[in-house]
Amino acid sequence: MRVDDWDRAKTTGLNPTQLAILTLLEGRREGGLGVKEVAAHLGVSQPTATDSINALERKGYLAKRPGETDRRAVRVVPTADGIAVLQTANAGDGLAERAIGCLYDREQEDLLLTLIKMIRHLQETDAIPVQRMCVTCRHFAPFAHADAARPHHCHFVDAAFGQRDLRLDCRDHEEADPAFRAATRKAFQPG
Ligand code: SF4
């Protein structure tokens, strides 16, 4: 994945941190994020995030806006040029996508469930910010249907979906309360 990051960086003139910031903001085009939130999501210091954000702003790939409730709290949002350069960077599969493509469907599903489990553990122990995954979303109803191919339900779009379609970063995500998240975790226990 790191090699993929550098390959993408070469084609766009952006470094991996700058690309990661644009990727993070792509799903938050309306409200954007504060510098502190960007740093927390990327696991970098605030000065590092600030440097990269300023570089992206100079290139015209993101803009700073005052916060809605606190006008001194700056929010950063991607510009149309920022979205376009991200699309260029993500054109075609990288090494990681091709390696995943070698797995059988069942193996891909197992990998997704394993990743969700690991990410959920990291966020429940406050090691990383809450990710916008189905399993932490208040719209999620796990195993609500008898159909083994599409057992889950999303109340936001009011539709059933399968294990392979569990989202890791959904822009419609709304964080569920801790009791709801614990019940969801239990629903995914083996047996
Ligand atoms: S809104 Fe998004 S994160 Fe929430 S259950 Fe639906 S698909 Fe999953």
Side-chain angles (χ1 to χ4, degrees):
M1 289 170 76
R2 190 164 298 198
V3 171
D4 283 338
D5 283 348
W6 279 108
D7 283 345
R8 289 184 176 121
K10 265 187 264 170
T11 60
T12 56
L14 299 176
N15 67 36
T17 303
Q18 293 165 353
L19 273 178
I21 291 173
L22 280 180
T23 302
L24 181 66
L25 295 175
E26 189 274 334
R28 297 164 172 89
R29 297 186 201 187
E30 299 304 318
L33 285 176
V35 176
K36 199 171 163 187
E37 293 167 300
V38 171
H41 273 279
L42 266 60
V44 299
S45 68
Q46 279 195 55
T48 299
T50 301
D51 287 349
S52 296
I53 285 168
N54 289 341
L56 286 166
E57 187 185 25
R58 284 195 296 276
K59 290 171 192 275
Y61 293 151
L62 61 75
K64 292 176 183 162
R65 289 193 192 145
E68 277 183 12
T69 48
D70 179 358
R71 300 193 67 77
R72 289 166 305 173
V74 171
R75 313 283 294 177
V76 284
V77 292
T79 61
D81 284 350
I83 299 298
V85 78
L86 191 61
Q87 284 166 350
T88 302
N90 291 335
D93 285 345
L95 294 172
E97 281 98 344
R98 277 180 266 155
I100 291 168
C102 292
L103 302 178
Y104 292 114
D105 286 354
R106 184 57 210 241
E107 291 173 323
Q108 290 183 2
E109 190 177 306
D110 287 346
L111 176 62
L112 176 62
L113 292 175
T114 303
L115 282 172
I116 288 171
K117 203 169 173 183
M118 291 169 67
I119 293 168
R120 181 162 50 189
H121 174 78
L122 288 169
Q123 64 189 22
E124 296 289 347
T125 53
D126 288 332
I128 59 171
V130 171
Q131 305 298 301
R132 303 185 301 181
M133 304 191 296
C134 290
V135 295
T136 60
C137 178
R138 72 181 189 85
H139 301 298
F140 183 51
F143 303 105
H145 303 285
D147 181 357
R150 287 149 58 92
H152 308 308
H153 195 86
C154 170
H155 288 294
F156 185 82
V157 292
D158 195 19
F161 65 99
Q163 297 270 69
R164 292 175 58 86
D165 298 315
L166 284 165
R167 307 284 293 273
L168 293 175
D169 186 26
C170 171
R171 66 188 63 195
D172 301 315
H173 174 273
E174 286 183 61
E175 191 178 348
D177 61 42
F180 190 99
R181 297 207 304 263
T184 300
R185 184 168 57 240
K186 209 167 167 197
F188 276 85
Q189 300 286 337

